[in-house]
């Protein structure tokens, strides 16, 4: 089952000619989940070919570089004759502001838009085999991060072992893989644990939005296949990062290292570093041994299963 992450906007509060404000799209086998909607996100979606069939929008906080693209995106969806409802999740207590933003400039979409407030440590969305959980972040406003967490998968079916035990090829294979014992013609009962391995982990993608380094983030990102972390500044402006509720690239690396993450994406890069992000990468890599990258707008990464 595919999972692709497209970085639509990787810049900080001030956009540059190379970096749009914050937005990340996760396409999980056709479920398109959009995390933050900086201004111009709908153009980025056209530019990078993601399509507009978004099912859910997740906002980390109400600073403009994370939400000002929402009314334009809704209007673009309306012009494209969308009729499916859109769900928007925002930190609890900010629902009225987001509803007003969506309907700014007398916008009245022809499709339902539902705005839901979410607090930290709850499941914003629960689907058949994954959920999107919230966690508290450390920013100078009402803010949450989001973790897309897949359920465990079935263990691998050992066909060779099943045949050795006399299970005929056919429906009984499926029964065993589904966890049901089967009875053979001679009365022998074969149990699932005889031919099915241990459950296999799903994937975890964690998006922080804006945050200082935080124990809560490290906990939420434990074992993450991809951690997308605020890295607004390099070490040269570490004091500025703390004062404004952001992280340095090195601090993001330290959180990824604590969490035992597999991959770290550095985002929300300040316009001060336009054209040169080499210090960000070097400093993060000194703190984190896993894969570290600083995506350009439009980069898409496939996220494999941990056991692949």
């Amino acid at each position: 089952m595919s999972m692709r992450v497209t970085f639509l906007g990787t810049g900080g509060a001030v956009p540059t000619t190379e970096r749009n404000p914050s937005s990340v799209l996760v396409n999980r086998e056709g479920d398109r989940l959009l995390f933050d909607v900086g201004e111009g996100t709908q153009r980025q979606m056209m530019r990078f070919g993601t399509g507009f069939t978004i099912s859910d929008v997740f906002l980390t906080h109400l600073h403009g570089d994370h939400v000002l693209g929402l009314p334009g995106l809704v209007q673009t969806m309306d012009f494209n004759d969308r009729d499916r409802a859109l769900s928007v999740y925002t930190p609890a207590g900010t629902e009225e502001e987001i509803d007003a933003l969506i309907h700014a400039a007398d916008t009245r979409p022809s499709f339902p838009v539902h705005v839901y407030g979410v607090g930290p440590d709850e499941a914003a969305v629960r689907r058949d085999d994954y959920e999107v959980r919230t966690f508290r972040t450390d920013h100078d406003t009402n803010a949450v991060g989001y973790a897309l967490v897949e359920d465990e998968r079935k263990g691998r079916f050992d066909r060779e072992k099943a045949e050795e035990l006399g299970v005929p090829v056919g429906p009984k294979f499926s029964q065993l893989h589904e966890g049901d014992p089967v009875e053979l013609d001679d009365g022998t009962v074969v149990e699932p644990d005889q031919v099915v391995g241990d459950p296999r982990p799903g994937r975890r993608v964690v998006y922080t939005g804006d945050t200082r380094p935080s124990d809560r983030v490290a906990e939420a990102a434990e074992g993450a296949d991809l951690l997308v972390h605020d890295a607004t500044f390099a070490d040269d402006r570490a004091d500025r990062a703390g004062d404004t509720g952001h992280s340095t690239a090195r601090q993001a690396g330290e959180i990824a290292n604590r969490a035992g993450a597999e991959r770290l994406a550095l985002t929300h890069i300040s316009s001060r570093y336009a054209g040169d992000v080499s210090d960000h990468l070097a400093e993060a890599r000194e703190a984190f041994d896993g894969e570290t990258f600083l995506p350009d707008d439009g980069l898409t990464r496939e996220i494999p299963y941990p056991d692949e």
Side-chain angles (χ1 to χ4, degrees):
M1 184 170 289
S2 66
M3 183 187 290
R4 297 187 300 277
V5 177
T6 300
F7 297 88
L8 296 171
T10 59
V14 178
T16 70
T17 55
E18 291 81 23
R19 298 189 185 279
N20 213 62
S22 296
S23 189
V24 174
L25 187 145
V26 178
N27 184 342
R28 184 189 180 276
E29 200 66 19
D31 283 1
R32 290 178 171 86
L33 314 176
L34 186 62
F35 296 86
D36 282 336
V37 197
E39 59 263 39
T41 292
Q42 77 270 38
R43 184 177 181 276
Q44 297 290 87
M45 295 168 76
M46 289 184 280
R47 181 182 177 192
F48 301 122
T50 63
F52 291 107
T53 55
I54 304 299
S55 58
D56 305 275
V57 173
F58 302 89
L59 304 175
T60 58
H61 63 290
L62 264 61
H63 287 165
D65 56 317
H66 294 257
V67 302
L68 288 180
L70 185 57
L73 176 60
V74 169
Q75 188 173 65
T76 297
M77 290 174 170
D78 196 21
F79 289 158
N80 286 338
D81 298 323
R82 180 184 176 115
D83 54 14
R84 178 186 177 188
L86 178 69
S87 296
V88 180
Y89 300 88
T90 186
T94 65
E95 298 95 318
E96 289 187 10
E97 290 93 331
I98 291 301
D99 188 71
L101 178 65
I102 291 169
H103 295 91
D106 202 30
T107 301
R108 292 186 175 88
S110 59
F111 58 92
V113 180
H114 304 300
V115 180
Y116 303 102
V118 290
D121 305 316
E122 64 178 82
V125 167
R126 176 68 212 177
R127 299 272 155 74
D128 286 343
D129 51 3
Y130 73 90
E131 64 183 14
V132 179
R133 304 173 185 168
T134 60
F135 56 91
R136 188 180 300 281
T137 56
D138 185 6
H139 196 42
D140 291 335
T141 190
N142 184 1
V144 297
Y146 296 95
L148 190 164
V149 182
E150 292 182 328
D151 296 346
E152 285 188 330
R153 297 170 294 145
K154 299 171 187 172
R156 296 189 186 279
F157 182 77
D158 189 338
R159 177 181 176 134
E160 183 177 341
K161 179 65 173 177
E163 291 180 350
E164 286 178 3
L165 293 170
V167 181
V169 176
K172 285 185 168 58
F173 277 16
S174 297
Q175 286 179 247
L176 285 163
H177 206 191
E178 291 296 328
D180 297 322
V182 299
E183 184 174 349
L184 306 183
D185 291 343
D186 63 1
T188 301
V189 175
V190 178
E191 298 290 342
D193 60 9
Q194 293 178 263
V195 295
V196 179
D198 293 335
R200 294 171 292 161
R203 292 163 291 194
R204 178 184 292 252
V205 173
V206 177
Y207 175 69
T208 68
D210 294 358
T211 185
R212 297 180 181 91
S214 161
D215 290 343
R216 297 285 186 90
V217 173
E219 292 166 5
E222 184 176 357
D225 298 277
L226 174 64
L227 169 60
V228 183
H229 199 291
D230 178 349
T232 306
F233 299 102
D235 283 351
D236 63 329
R237 289 184 170 87
D239 290 345
R240 176 71 174 161
D243 290 344
T244 57
H246 292 289
S247 296
T248 67
R250 185 184 301 278
Q251 289 168 335
E254 290 168 350
I255 292 296
N257 189 59
R258 285 179 54 191
E262 186 72 21
R263 301 169 190 83
L264 170 65
L266 306 173
T267 59
H268 202 268
I269 308 304
S270 170
S271 59
R272 293 176 175 86
Y273 304 95
D276 185 6
V277 295
S278 56
D279 286 346
H280 282 69
L281 283 167
E283 290 159 9
R285 287 169 176 165
E286 287 175 1
F288 176 53
D289 292 335
E291 180 187 353
T292 301
F293 61 101
L294 198 160
D296 292 330
D297 285 10
L299 177 71
T300 295
R301 290 294 302 267
E302 189 81 26
I303 308 302
Y305 286 107
D307 55 335
E308 290 182 353

